[in-house]
Amino acid sequence: MKRVQTTKLILWLVVGFAAAVGITRFLYGLGVTTNLNDATPWGLWIGFDVMAGVALAAGGFVITAIVYIMKREEFRPIVKPAVLTAFLGYIAVIISLLFDLGLPWNIWHMLVFWNPHSPLFEVGWCVMLYTTVLLLEFSPVPLEASSRYAKIRTFLLRFRFPLVMLGIMLSTLHQSSLGSLFLIMPYKSYPLWYSDILPILFFISAVALGLMMITLESLATSHLYRRHAETELLSKLAGASVWVLSVYLLVKLSDIVIAGESNLIFNGSWESTLFIVEILMGVLGPIVIFSIPQFRQSQKWLWAGSIMVVFGMVFNRINVGGLTMMGITGDSYFPSWMEISISAGVLSAAVLLFLFAVEKFHVWETSPRHPEAEPTSRPHFDRASQVWLGAPSVAGRTKYSLAFLFSFAVAVAIIPGNDINSKGAVSVPTMAARGGDTLYIDGNRDLYGVAFKHEMHISQNGQKQSCALCHHMNIPMDKQSGCYRCHKLMYQESDAFGHQWHSSPQGGNIACVQCHEEGQERMAVSAKKCDRCHRDLLPEGARIKYERNIAPSYVDAMHRLCVDCHKEKALTLEGKEDLARCARCHETVPPEYMSPEAPVFGNKPYFNRVMMPGAESLLKADD
Amino acid sequence: MQTLLELAQGPLFRLTFAIMALGLLRIFILDIWGAIEAYRKAGDKNIPWKQAIKKTLGWLFPVRKAFGSRPVYSLLSILFHTGLILVPIFLFAHVELWKSGTGLGWITLPKSWADYLTLSTIIFGLALFFGRIAVRAASFLSRKQDYLWPLILIVPFITGYICAHAGVTPAGYRFYMLIHILSAELIFVLLPFTKIAHCVLMPLSQLVATLAWRFPPDTDEPVAISLNKKGVPV
């Protein structure tokens, strides 16, 4: 049983490390924890955790179909573990999705705000429903433990067949619609992986993967718990997978040939290498291995073949999910160690739950029994502390919690503390703008900006008196200091208080004790507030609120000023409901319209840049 | 020296603080878990909850309880604990560090109070140490860690006091600061694994004792047999 304990200890170490990284992700966001960007918005978490995760959980629907629809009763012993694997797999997918969503707290939106045109909507609903079905399908097993729930159990068992039907239907739908997701990017995916029949390919490969996942899981657990592996059953599954894989290969190759893309397979590009590796590892190799009856009967070859299919199909999902798009987007992406550790952590947690369920409930024909838990067994003294840590469950509790604790602490220590800040903030200085009829507010100074009708705002808000609404005259003697004087940077806040200047002769030669009370530590927090001396810091009726000595970034300041006011006005003015919408001021244009002379920061194509209204014609005139 | 100081202030601090926070949480949860298991196994489910809670509160706020058999020791201990808890948490400089690191701040001790409490902690810590050596009954019961703890605990207080009243050269300041941080980090790591764990287990101690000292159902007979007291009234 040492095998199980060591495995669990390692899994707990991984989970502990990932837990700390996971907290960092939720505290500081995607920009800090991932290597994703606008050109590569989907990375390891979608490619491996979601795309491959859903496919890996396919064993559930494959085996229930075999047993309940095809009536192959001999496979019944492996139904429960397969359903459990599928259920945990889907839970893991949902958890990973929470990490990957920019606004994870909005995950429920799909329930209320329907977008029936989106394949993602269909995937989301299917996954939600299927997870529920799997829960209902599996729950009779843990309910067995207590007679209190006998009624619920019999109720659920009565509906087993409809549930199985529903489960198979839902899986068929979303296993294939995961492929449909990529139909919307025909020009971003490499042609070898893009196909109009991607949904069908995804479905067939999911069936093959489901068969092989059951095999692999059965082999792995029989190794762990030293129990007898169901080799007879597994060899039958392997035999079936030969057929499924052959169909997959046939459909895939003929699709490529019909599309006239067969020349791409051997053109020597790195995509062609990926493709050959994928087909050899995930399809051709296993077909060859499992076609030989002796190999199907041998555990070693079953191990080899099932691992090849699993890796090959995971590789395929990662390829479709984004790896092969890099050649076209021109962006390079490799997951950061934080992304990898979270993926590993979610996977480890799912395995731990699986082992827990297997030990606790009646998942297999015979539940594994811990030899140290026998009533007659002698106490096993811990080597380090020379004490008996109690029965295996108690001893495990002590050790696993320590493992979790230490790896969590290590992760907390190595996650850079002070360096955690948003990678998105680039220091872009702002420029002066003064008066005039229409101001052109240029967000990134890349020709995409907003036309701000300055004159119109003055006349609508009450002529000269209204200047103070937006302009705060915070520099003494200067009655119209421009925004750029304090909001110095486009995306970063800056210090609005000149400490050196205040103590210099030009700044009034102010002694320290004027602001810092004597005897107190001289720090910003213990100093006097600015408005104690600068009484007219903000004019009467200003919209701005003075909080700290820090000027927010230019973009933030402008947005707050405009958006807040527009939101208010949208409520009071009739027929102006759209006033607070982004597109009211920002017009979207695709990059094709950009002038080649236009200075662009960065070299990646961005699709949602905004452009000054009317600038389009200006740019065209330049051509 | 500077690199060492940065290491101690950065990664090492985060490592040790996380071990402390999670370690304390861990033993707290394991204790509650153990208590629940003990309750489930208990044959006699009539637990005197009220009495246990009353006793716990009595020990948490030792107003009358403490000055029973060893009034001097109790007084010293209470005074020692006051400074020990208040100064690290409510010192102005510490709160400032938390604020710059996490954005969270809280009320702070006035400087003079902090000074007096620091000095009192040092003095009472030493008094407790010597008391343990001098008093026969105490030294008889003591383990090695019982002598070490008062000494380890006052190190950050002494070095912290020196740094706060910077009458030293910059090099000296850095040295004392390094000792201050490292000793505090040593305490952090040891906290959940030694007797100092009572800082979180204290509220449970009475409850666990009340729950645990009950025999599981049908075990009284074998226990009586193995004690050679079969049939003897307990």
Side-chain angles (χ1 to χ4, degrees):
Chain A
M1 270 298 150
K2 263 277 185 273
R3 246 178 224 175
V4 184
Q5 272 166 341
T6 317
T7 312
K8 280 192 192 168
L9 202 69
I10 293 167
L11 292 171
W12 273 109
L13 281 170
V14 179
V15 171
F17 195 88
V21 178
I23 291 171
T24 315
R25 182 260 167 265
F26 285 119
L27 282 181
Y28 300 102
L30 287 172
V32 179
T33 35
T34 66
N35 283 344
L36 302 172
N37 56 40
D38 283 0
T40 308
W42 282 4
L44 182 73
W45 290 340
I46 293 291
F48 175 70
D49 298 16
V50 176
M51 302 279 297
V54 167
L56 288 173
F61 88 91
V62 173
I63 200 77
T64 49
I66 292 175
V67 172
Y68 292 100
I69 310 293
M70 300 178 195
K71 298 282 179 202
R72 300 289 294 269
E73 281 298 318
E74 72 262 36
F75 290 102
R76 197 175 273 277
I78 48 177
V79 170
K80 284 185 201 170
V83 172
L84 176 63
T85 316
F87 176 57
L88 292 174
Y90 274 87
I91 297 289
V93 166
I94 294 169
I95 303 280
S96 319
L97 208 55
L98 285 177
F99 283 107
D100 195 77
L101 289 177
L103 309 171
W105 48 90
N106 283 350
I107 194 166
W108 57 272
H109 275 199
M110 212 182 283
L111 289 167
V112 183
F113 306 116
W114 286 23
N115 180 8
H117 298 294
S118 156
L120 198 58
F121 168 78
E122 200 265 355
V123 172
W125 263 93
C126 262
V127 167
M128 279 189 285
L129 293 174
Y130 186 49
T131 312
T132 318
V133 167
L134 282 171
L135 176 70
L136 294 175
E137 250 182 273
F138 182 68
S139 49
V141 177
L143 290 181
E144 216 171 273
S146 167
S147 57
R148 204 186 299 171
Y149 307 112
K151 270 189 184 167
I152 307 176
R153 197 171 114 75
T154 36
F155 178 78
L156 286 172
L157 284 178
R158 199 183 304 156
F159 285 97
R160 171 166 279 175
F161 194 71
L163 281 175
V164 165
M165 296 284 287
L166 198 61
I168 294 167
M169 190 183 84
L170 288 167
S171 301
T172 314
L173 279 171
H174 73 255
Q175 290 286 0
S176 54
S177 56
L178 266 184
S180 319
L181 286 185
F182 296 91
L183 292 182
I184 59 169
M185 18 192 140
Y187 305 114
K188 220 177 164 188
S189 305
Y190 194 76
L192 280 177
W193 283 273
Y194 178 81
S195 155
D196 294 337
I197 56 162
L198 254 184
I200 297 168
L201 289 172
F202 261 53
F203 178 71
I204 304 172
S205 57
V207 174
L209 186 56
L211 291 169
M212 287 297 99
M213 255 317 270
I214 300 165
T215 311
L216 189 63
E217 173 219 296
S218 178
L219 288 169
T221 50
S222 61
H223 170 77
L224 265 187
Y225 289 99
R226 296 176 199 277
R227 68 188 188 100
H228 183 67
E230 299 99 341
T231 321
E232 270 309 304
L233 292 182
L234 302 184
S235 65
K236 282 183 190 167
L237 291 181
S241 75
V242 172
W243 290 102
V244 183
L245 285 171
S246 307
V247 171
Y248 174 73
L249 188 67
L250 192 72
V251 174
K252 181 149 187 143
L253 287 183
S254 26
D255 177 58
I256 289 172
V257 172
I258 290 165
E261 289 154 358
S262 46
N263 59 322
L264 293 175
I265 300 177
F266 298 105
N267 71 353
S269 64
W270 74 281
E271 282 97 348
S272 75
T273 321
L274 283 183
F275 185 81
I276 292 166
V277 169
E278 188 192 304
I279 293 293
L280 281 183
M281 180 165 66
V283 189
L284 261 180
I287 288 178
V288 172
I289 290 174
F290 290 143
S291 300
I292 303 166
Q294 290 96 310
F295 283 6
R296 282 209 298 272
Q297 299 294 340
S298 134
Q299 278 209 21
K300 269 184 198 159
W301 283 106
L302 279 172
W303 267 107
S306 56
I307 285 180
M308 277 168 81
V309 175
V310 168
F311 273 84
M313 288 305 165
V314 168
F315 189 48
N316 168 264
R317 294 303 193 263
I318 291 175
N319 283 338
V320 178
L323 192 62
T324 56
M325 291 179 196
M326 281 177 200
I328 285 127
T329 57
D331 188 61
S332 68
Y333 160 83
F334 190 80
S336 71
W337 62 270
M338 295 203 197
E339 287 176 81
I340 294 170
S341 66
I342 284 183
S343 285
V346 173
L347 192 70
S348 303
V351 176
L352 277 174
L353 279 171
F354 181 85
L355 297 181
F356 172 82
V358 153
E359 285 172 15
K360 204 88 178 164
F361 309 122
H362 199 70
V363 177
W364 290 323
E365 302 282 271
T366 47
S367 290
R369 192 171 179 146
H370 207 293
E372 282 172 42
E374 297 285 342
T376 50
S377 70
R378 296 178 59 203
H380 170 77
F381 287 92
D382 183 52
R383 204 173 294 164
S385 53
Q386 288 299 314
V387 290
W388 185 53
L389 294 174
S393 60
V394 182
R397 200 192 284 171
T398 313
K399 281 183 186 167
Y400 304 148
S401 57
L402 270 178
F404 178 88
L405 190 160
F406 282 116
S407 67
F408 186 98
V410 168
V412 170
I414 62 171
I415 290 168
N418 301 328
D419 306 338
I420 288 179
N421 55 17
S422 172
K423 284 178 193 164
V426 203
S427 62
V428 182
T430 51
M431 287 177 188
R434 271 184 191 273
D437 171 28
T438 304
L439 288 176
Y440 173 43
I441 303 177
D442 192 350
N444 299 340
R445 272 180 287 101
D446 55 358
L447 279 182
Y448 292 90
V450 160
F452 174 69
K453 292 181 176 129
H454 189 237
E455 232 22 275
M456 191 199 79
H457 278 80
I458 296 175
S459 64
Q460 285 189 352
N461 288 323
Q463 300 306 335
K464 280 282 169 202
Q465 281 83 0
S466 68
C467 295
L469 268 178
C470 310
H471 294 277
H472 49 131
M473 296 109 187
N474 52 347
I475 295 176
M477 316 307 287
D478 182 1
K479 281 296 163 197
Q480 257 182 338
S481 16
C483 315
Y484 70 99
R485 293 287 294 269
C486 294
H487 307 280
K488 289 187 183 103
L489 292 166
M490 202 66 84
Y491 304 116
Q492 285 170 325
E493 53 182 31
S494 40
D495 188 12
F497 170 68
H499 187 270
Q500 282 303 93
W501 183 82
H502 272 81
S503 56
S504 72
Q506 296 92 333
N509 239 346
I510 299 166
C512 306
V513 288
Q514 294 258 23
C515 299
H516 302 282
E517 247 171 77
E518 250 186 318
Q520 283 245 354
E521 265 113 330
R522 284 179 193 162
M523 306 174 88
V525 277
S526 56
K528 243 190 235 177
K529 295 270 172 286
C530 299
D531 55 0
R532 291 277 289 278
C533 297
H534 303 288
R535 295 205 176 269
D536 56 349
L537 191 65
L538 295 179
E540 201 71 15
R543 298 196 62 86
I544 305 111
K545 282 183 189 71
Y546 162 74
E547 279 148 12
R548 303 182 287 159
N549 298 330
I550 287 166
S553 72
Y554 179 80
V555 170
D556 275 351
M558 291 299 117
H559 267 122
R560 241 176 266 169
L561 203 57
C562 304
V563 175
D564 286 359
C565 194
H566 274 208
K567 271 187 187 159
E568 273 175 37
K569 293 270 157 92
L571 293 176
T572 51
L573 294 178
E574 243 176 73
K576 297 269 183 187
E577 293 81 14
D578 288 344
L579 201 56
R581 290 185 189 236
C582 308
R584 183 81 190 168
C585 308
H586 300 279
E587 286 187 5
T588 309
V589 287
E592 291 90 79
Y593 289 99
M594 260 176 80
S595 138
E597 285 85 34
V600 179
F601 294 87
N603 54 356
K604 290 162 197 157
Y606 288 90
F607 291 97
N608 273 318
R609 289 238 171 124
V610 292
M611 194 180 200
M612 179 180 169
E616 219 174 293
S617 55
L618 273 171
L619 290 173
K620 275 195 179 153
D622 288 346
D623 288 345
Chain B
M1 183 74 95
Q2 191 60 34
T3 0
L4 263 179
L5 201 59
E6 270 164 22
L7 183 77
Q9 283 171 333
L12 211 54
F13 174 79
R14 292 197 297 272
L15 179 80
T16 53
F17 193 84
I19 288 178
M20 179 195 70
L22 255 101
L24 290 177
L25 189 71
R26 168 179 171 270
I27 51 165
F28 191 76
I29 292 171
L30 285 182
D31 241 42
I32 289 181
W33 192 341
I36 292 170
E37 266 183 6
Y39 179 73
R40 219 173 44 211
K41 283 182 189 164
D44 176 10
K45 301 258 179 198
N46 288 320
I47 312 290
W49 294 110
K50 243 186 201 169
Q51 196 197 328
I53 291 167
K54 217 169 147 191
K55 262 188 169 176
T56 308
L57 289 177
W59 281 111
L60 275 180
F61 306 100
V63 193
R64 272 176 298 170
K65 205 105 187 170
F67 302 98
S69 52
R70 297 165 67 197
V72 181
Y73 169 78
S74 301
L75 185 68
L76 282 177
S77 171
I78 290 171
L79 289 170
F80 176 64
H81 277 86
T82 312
L84 199 62
I85 295 167
L86 290 182
V87 175
I89 301 178
F90 295 107
L91 189 78
F92 178 75
H94 288 179
V95 176
E96 277 309 308
L97 283 175
W98 281 112
K99 216 186 263 180
S100 65
T102 63
L104 297 172
W106 47 86
I107 51 160
T108 56
L109 281 172
K111 198 171 181 334
S112 55
W113 284 44
D115 283 348
Y116 292 135
L117 278 173
T118 307
L119 289 174
S120 77
T121 309
I122 297 169
I123 292 164
F124 297 130
L126 286 172
L128 282 174
F129 172 71
F130 288 115
R132 199 174 274 278
I133 296 176
V135 179
R136 197 99 192 264
S139 63
F140 182 71
L141 281 172
S142 299
R143 297 162 295 174
K144 275 175 204 137
Q145 59 160 295
D146 294 321
Y147 293 106
L148 270 175
W149 268 114
L151 295 182
I152 297 177
L153 284 173
I154 60 174
V155 174
F157 282 83
I158 296 171
T159 48
Y161 191 83
I162 295 172
C163 287
H165 299 82
V168 283
T169 58
Y173 178 87
R174 276 210 289 273
F175 172 73
Y176 286 118
M177 189 43 89
L178 186 67
I179 302 293
H180 177 71
I181 296 169
L182 287 179
S183 57
E185 284 168 356
L186 179 68
I187 294 168
F188 283 168
V189 172
L190 293 177
L191 256 165
F193 306 105
T194 54
K195 72 164 192 173
I196 307 295
H198 72 249
C199 64
V200 291
L201 293 184
M202 181 86 157
L204 292 180
S205 60
Q206 297 299 317
L207 188 71
V208 169
T210 323
L211 288 175
W213 282 103
R214 259 146 225 279
F215 288 122
D218 304 324
T219 47
D220 40 356
E221 188 82 345
V223 169
I225 291 168
S226 45
L227 288 176
N228 259 339
K229 291 196 171 162
K230 199 184 174 191
V232 180
V234 182

